[in-house]
Amino acid sequence: MRMSSHDAHYGGNLVDGAKMLQLFGDVATELLIRQDGDEGLFKAYDNVEFMAPVYAGDYIEATGEIVNIGNTSRKMVFEARKVIAPRPDISPSAADVLEEPVVVCRASGTCVTPKSCQRK
Protein backbone atom coordinates (compact mmCIF):
# COMPACT_ATOMS: atom_id res chain seq x y z
CA MET A 1 0.00 0.00 0.00
CA ARG A 2 1.30 3.44 -0.89
CA MET A 3 1.47 5.95 1.94
CA SER A 4 -0.01 9.22 0.74
CA SER A 5 0.45 12.79 1.88
CA HIS A 6 -2.90 12.32 3.66
CA ASP A 7 -1.21 9.64 5.83
CA ALA A 8 1.63 12.00 6.77
CA HIS A 9 0.86 13.26 10.24
CA TYR A 10 4.11 14.88 11.31
CA GLY A 11 6.74 17.25 9.92
CA GLY A 12 8.94 15.97 7.12
CA ASN A 13 6.06 13.88 5.70
CA LEU A 14 6.44 11.32 8.50
CA VAL A 15 3.54 8.84 8.64
CA ASP A 16 1.85 8.17 11.98
CA GLY A 17 2.79 4.74 13.39
CA ALA A 18 -0.91 4.07 13.92
CA LYS A 19 -1.17 3.62 10.15
CA MET A 20 0.87 0.41 10.47
CA LEU A 21 -1.56 -0.84 13.11
CA GLN A 22 -4.43 -0.06 10.76
CA LEU A 23 -2.75 -2.22 8.11
CA PHE A 24 -2.26 -5.02 10.65
CA GLY A 25 -5.96 -4.80 11.52
CA ASP A 26 -6.81 -5.35 7.85
CA VAL A 27 -4.43 -8.32 7.70
CA ALA A 28 -5.99 -9.77 10.87
CA THR A 29 -9.46 -9.46 9.36
CA GLU A 30 -8.37 -11.39 6.27
CA LEU A 31 -6.72 -14.09 8.38
CA LEU A 32 -9.86 -14.49 10.50
CA ILE A 33 -12.10 -14.74 7.45
CA ARG A 34 -9.82 -17.43 6.01
CA GLN A 35 -9.68 -19.28 9.36
CA ASP A 36 -13.26 -18.91 10.61
CA GLY A 37 -15.40 -17.45 7.84
CA ASP A 38 -15.96 -14.37 10.01
CA GLU A 39 -14.20 -11.04 10.57
CA GLY A 40 -13.89 -11.62 14.31
CA LEU A 41 -12.68 -8.92 16.69
CA PHE A 42 -9.21 -7.61 17.53
CA LYS A 43 -8.85 -7.96 21.30
CA ALA A 44 -5.39 -6.57 22.04
CA TYR A 45 -1.84 -6.03 20.91
CA ASP A 46 0.70 -7.43 23.36
CA ASN A 47 3.74 -6.05 21.55
CA VAL A 48 4.37 -3.31 18.98
CA GLU A 49 7.83 -2.29 17.76
CA PHE A 50 8.40 0.62 15.39
CA MET A 51 11.70 -0.17 13.69
CA ALA A 52 12.15 2.51 10.99
CA PRO A 53 10.37 5.67 9.84
CA VAL A 54 7.68 5.62 7.14
CA TYR A 55 7.18 8.64 4.88
CA ALA A 56 4.54 9.76 2.42
CA GLY A 57 5.35 8.08 -0.89
CA ASP A 58 6.73 4.89 0.68
CA TYR A 59 5.15 1.59 -0.36
CA ILE A 60 4.47 -0.77 2.53
CA GLU A 61 3.71 -4.48 2.46
CA ALA A 62 2.04 -5.87 5.58
CA THR A 63 1.93 -9.58 6.36
CA GLY A 64 0.58 -11.65 9.20
CA GLU A 65 0.28 -15.18 10.42
CA ILE A 66 -1.86 -17.02 12.95
CA VAL A 67 0.63 -18.69 15.29
CA ASN A 68 -1.75 -20.19 17.87
CA ILE A 69 -5.42 -21.15 17.75
CA GLY A 70 -7.46 -21.41 20.93
CA ASN A 71 -11.16 -22.10 21.43
CA THR A 72 -12.10 -18.58 20.31
CA SER A 73 -8.76 -16.75 20.36
CA ARG A 74 -6.23 -16.50 17.57
CA LYS A 75 -2.71 -15.32 18.40
CA MET A 76 -1.14 -13.48 15.46
CA VAL A 77 2.17 -11.91 14.48
CA PHE A 78 2.58 -9.11 11.94
CA GLU A 79 5.35 -7.42 10.00
CA ALA A 80 5.33 -4.32 7.79
CA ARG A 81 8.12 -3.72 5.29
CA LYS A 82 9.01 -0.73 3.14
CA VAL A 83 9.51 -2.09 -0.38
CA ILE A 84 9.58 1.11 -2.49
CA ALA A 85 10.87 4.55 -1.52
CA PRO A 86 10.35 7.84 -3.37
CA ARG A 87 13.33 9.65 -4.91
CA PRO A 88 12.37 13.34 -4.97
CA ASP A 89 16.07 14.17 -5.45
CA ILE A 90 15.73 12.79 -9.00
CA SER A 91 12.21 13.98 -9.89
CA PRO A 92 8.82 14.40 -8.20
CA SER A 93 7.66 11.01 -9.52
CA ALA A 94 10.88 8.95 -9.24
CA ALA A 95 10.96 5.94 -6.90
CA ASP A 96 13.23 2.96 -6.25
CA VAL A 97 12.32 -0.64 -5.49
CA LEU A 98 14.50 -1.45 -2.49
CA GLU A 99 16.94 -4.31 -3.00
CA GLU A 100 16.26 -5.41 0.56
CA PRO A 101 12.92 -4.43 2.11
CA VAL A 102 13.18 -2.43 5.34
CA VAL A 103 11.20 -3.76 8.31
CA VAL A 104 9.35 -0.73 9.66
CA CYS A 105 7.09 -2.36 12.27
CA ARG A 106 6.49 -5.68 14.03
CA ALA A 107 3.61 -6.55 16.30
CA SER A 108 1.77 -9.41 17.92
CA GLY A 109 -1.74 -9.59 19.24
CA THR A 110 -4.84 -11.62 19.88
CA CYS A 111 -8.09 -11.71 17.96
CA VAL A 112 -11.32 -13.43 18.95
CA THR A 113 -13.97 -15.12 16.87
CA PRO A 114 -16.96 -16.07 19.04
CA LYS A 115 -17.92 -19.75 18.70
CA SER A 116 -21.32 -18.76 17.32
CA CYS A 117 -19.59 -16.94 14.44
CA GLN A 118 -17.10 -19.66 13.50
CA ARG A 119 -18.26 -21.26 10.27
CA LYS A 120 -15.21 -23.41 9.50
Side-chain angles (χ1 to χ4, degrees):
M1 170 174 269
R2 182 180 186 272
M3 299 297 107
S4 73
S5 58
H6 177 69
D7 297 315
H9 186 72
Y10 299 104
N13 283 326
L14 187 63
V15 173
D16 190 343
K19 183 67 178 178
M20 298 306 104
L21 301 185
Q22 180 184 1
L23 294 176
F24 292 161
D26 290 344
V27 171
T29 298
E30 180 179 342
L31 290 170
L32 291 172
I33 290 169
R34 290 177 183 276
Q35 173 67 37
D36 297 317
D38 191 88
E39 292 184 0
L41 302 166
F42 211 119
K43 183 176 180 182
Y45 284 103
D46 53 58
N47 187 46
V48 176
E49 294 178 85
F50 297 105
M51 320 284 286
V54 175
Y55 299 98
D58 288 344
Y59 282 74
I60 304 296
E61 287 183 353
T63 60
E65 168 182 18
I66 297 174
V67 294
N68 191 27
I69 298 174
N71 194 28
T72 59
S73 65
R74 283 82 176 97
K75 174 77 173 174
M76 299 181 186
V77 295
F78 306 96
E79 188 171 270
R81 294 176 217 88
K82 183 186 310 190
V83 294
I84 296 174
R87 290 292 309 273
D89 57 312
I90 297 172
S91 78
S93 58
D96 285 338
V97 175
L98 302 178
E99 272 188 48
E100 196 65 37
V102 175
V103 176
V104 297
C105 188
R106 287 190 179 119
S108 59
T110 303
C111 294
V112 174
T113 305
K115 272 290 198 194
S116 62
C117 296
Q118 294 177 24
R119 297 186 301 118
K120 295 183 177 185

